[in-house]
Amino acid sequence: MLNPRSRPDKTIIEGRPIFVRINGTLPDISTLGSEEKSERAAEIKKGQGTSTNTSCSIYAEIEKGQKIFHLLVDVGQGIVKSIEKSASELALSTFIPDALLITHSHDDHIKELPMLVEKFNEDNESRRKNLMIFCTMECRDQIIKKFPQLTQKTGNNNGVSFNIVQPDETFQVGPFSVIALLADHGDNSSPGSVIHIVKLLDKKIIVGWDFLSLPNVNENLLWKPDLLILGTQTYNPHPETGMICVSDAYDLVRRWNAKECYIVHYSGLNDFEEASNQWFRGPVKPMTTDELQSVINSHLQATGDNGKFRMTVAQEGMVWTGKEDQRHEEGSHIGKVLEIESLQKYILKIENVDTDHKLKLIVEDAVNRFNFEFVRPVKDGNSDDILYAEGEKGMMAKGP
């Protein structure tokens, strides 16, 4: 049984049963390039002063105001210092995690594992326990090969306990229900690489960095996460990086119907390759955080959906609380768009277009979208619950 940590009653996340802290956002530092060549690299050195790899912490309040469970995902360079800082930021009694999920064995995701184990053993509350590490068997073997000293710390109350996970099978980590999905990380892929789906109550979080594709995945498992964290090495497609790009992320956010998406792991160095194509109109250089966010905002604005999809370029220390947007003040009108989502991944959207006096009807699933337009909508004379409209024909339409 994994024991949660205690914390003070009042914190900045009080009343939230689950919240997520971004501990770091950077890929392998060697992929950032030099300051002279990359504005992204210059931003990192000027702004952070450290090189903190991609990681997050998922916290669950399991006894209101008293106990909290800390699930850490990956522990690359700079992560131990980052989660130490988080204890004071979030008014936690300790930064030591109760459990650790590892996605794969690349250095930028496990480099500080030995340091974390030492910190865990020095912690008074942890001395009679083991740090519970959850990963695939292949990943465990690769970790032991890199850090043979950890074999001296496995066993009963010696500091480390590896728990082998099977892809596509649900396992329990404290209060969390977790599923690991096999991930293809390209030619440089480590056997046993995974992404994780973490659930608590009605909340679903997908930790999806360092993958190019998800072989044989059941996409029903990925439908409608409350938070989707995606690792994107570049803005334009570059499969040679072994990762998806920001352009791919646009598609995944829509396909999985994510409520909110955080972008991490961005370098952008490979986007220089598009500069030689005079017809290319997308980004052709590594962008700063603000530049990348501006491009993403412009894309989402142009593609419509009335602000349904939110994508944020994550920064170290950012906290997601799962708080729902208050889109309408109490007592206000319902608005011009009504959207209904079914459990079978179908969405029905009805939109009132004032300018042309039209009614738009959109039906979509995970793959297809059908758009219909109706003109001259009027209410039924005997019932306000019935609306009549005439179907509008387009040039290629065969029916009303």
Side-chain angles (χ1 to χ4, degrees), residues 244-300:
I244 63 169
C245 63
V246 176
S247 296
D248 295 325
Y250 295 141
D251 175 61
L252 294 181
V253 167
R254 288 178 169 82
R255 204 163 83 204
W256 298 345
N257 196 24
K259 292 183 179 180
E260 189 161 6
C261 176
Y262 281 0
I263 297 296
V264 297
H265 214 287
Y266 173 75
S267 162
L269 199 63
N270 294 68
D271 288 329
F272 275 126
E273 296 178 18
E274 275 71 47
S276 59
N277 181 354
Q278 62 176 323
W279 306 110
F280 190 80
R281 291 295 175 264
V284 293
K285 68 178 183 66
M287 292 178 280
T288 65
T289 300
D290 289 343
E291 288 173 336
L292 179 57
Q293 186 66 66
S294 178
V295 171
I296 290 174
N297 291 345
S298 296
H299 174 87
L300 294 180

Side-chain angles (χ1 to χ4, degrees), residues 290-356:
D290 289 343
E291 288 173 336
L292 179 57
Q293 186 66 66
S294 178
V295 171
I296 290 174
N297 291 345
S298 296
H299 174 87
L300 294 180
Q301 185 177 14
T303 54
D305 291 306
N306 296 287
K308 174 182 176 181
F309 301 109
R310 291 178 292 173
M311 298 177 66
T312 303
V313 183
Q315 300 182 53
E316 181 181 341
M318 181 179 290
V319 176
W320 176 86
T321 62
K323 183 177 181 181
E324 297 292 339
D325 266 358
Q326 301 299 319
R327 296 181 183 274
H328 304 290
E329 296 180 0
E330 187 176 352
S332 67
H333 295 291
I334 193 171
K336 298 183 183 302
V337 179
L338 176 64
E339 184 172 306
I340 304 170
E341 296 183 14
S342 78
L343 295 176
Q344 298 299 320
K345 302 196 303 184
Y346 292 99
I347 296 174
L348 172 67
K349 184 188 295 185
I350 304 170
E351 181 177 354
N352 177 21
V353 185
D354 283 344
T355 52
D356 299 322

Side-chain angles (χ1 to χ4, degrees), residues 46-298:
K46 179 181 179 182
Q48 289 184 296
T50 59
S51 301
T52 310
N53 292 143
T54 299
S55 166
C56 74
S57 289
I58 307 175
Y59 299 91
E61 186 178 56
I62 57 178
E63 287 185 21
K64 189 173 181 180
Q66 297 299 322
K67 292 183 178 179
I68 195 163
F69 190 94
H70 177 189
L71 177 59
L72 177 64
V73 186
D74 286 349
V75 58
Q77 182 174 323
I79 300 306
V80 171
K81 183 177 180 180
S82 179
I83 61 175
E84 283 181 322
K85 184 180 179 183
S86 72
S88 60
E89 290 177 345
L90 302 176
L92 303 171
S93 62
T94 179
F95 70 91
I96 299 293
D98 297 287
L100 170 64
L101 293 182
I102 297 181
T103 58
H104 63 297
S105 63
H106 284 165
D107 285 348
D108 56 325
H109 295 270
I110 65 167
K111 185 174 183 178
E112 291 190 353
L113 178 56
M115 184 189 302
L116 180 64
V117 172
E118 292 301 322
K119 295 282 188 180
F120 185 88
N121 289 335
E122 292 170 3
D123 183 67
N124 291 331
E125 291 187 40
S126 304
R127 286 178 181 172
R128 292 183 297 276
K129 298 182 296 184
N130 292 323
L131 175 62
M132 307 292 282
I133 302 175
F134 294 81
C135 62
T136 61
M137 182 177 295
E138 297 90 341
C139 183
R140 189 274 311 270
D141 294 343
Q142 295 152 17
I143 290 172
I144 294 299
K145 185 176 181 180
K146 284 188 177 183
F147 306 123
Q149 67 271 31
L150 294 182
T151 59
Q152 308 299 318
K153 299 180 181 296
T154 57
N156 294 328
N157 302 327
N158 287 323
V160 174
S161 176
F162 282 97
N163 298 264
I164 302 304
V165 305
Q166 300 295 331
D168 301 322
E169 293 185 7
T170 301
F171 57 97
Q172 202 72 20
V173 185
F176 298 106
S177 173
V178 186
I179 302 176
L181 303 179
L182 279 179
D184 175 15
H185 194 8
D187 295 337
N188 196 28
S189 183
S190 301
S193 297
V194 295
I195 70 169
H196 291 106
I197 302 174
V198 181
K199 296 181 180 179
L200 178 70
L201 302 175
D202 61 341
K203 297 297 183 183
K204 179 194 290 187
I205 297 164
I206 298 179
V207 182
W209 50 67
D210 284 47
F211 75 93
L212 185 61
S213 65
L214 303 172
N216 304 313
V217 68
N218 176 5
E219 289 210 332
N220 289 320
L221 297 172
L222 302 164
W223 177 251
K224 201 177 179 181
D226 295 275
L227 176 63
L228 171 61
I229 308 177
L230 290 177
T232 59
Q233 190 76 8
T234 55
Y235 187 90
N236 309 307
H238 284 280
E240 67 274 17
T241 66
M243 293 184 62
I244 63 169
C245 63
V246 176
S247 296
D248 295 325
Y250 295 141
D251 175 61
L252 294 181
V253 167
R254 288 178 169 82
R255 204 163 83 204
W256 298 345
N257 196 24
K259 292 183 179 180
E260 189 161 6
C261 176
Y262 281 0
I263 297 296
V264 297
H265 214 287
Y266 173 75
S267 162
L269 199 63
N270 294 68
D271 288 329
F272 275 126
E273 296 178 18
E274 275 71 47
S276 59
N277 181 354
Q278 62 176 323
W279 306 110
F280 190 80
R281 291 295 175 264
V284 293
K285 68 178 183 66
M287 292 178 280
T288 65
T289 300
D290 289 343
E291 288 173 336
L292 179 57
Q293 186 66 66
S294 178
V295 171
I296 290 174
N297 291 345
S298 296

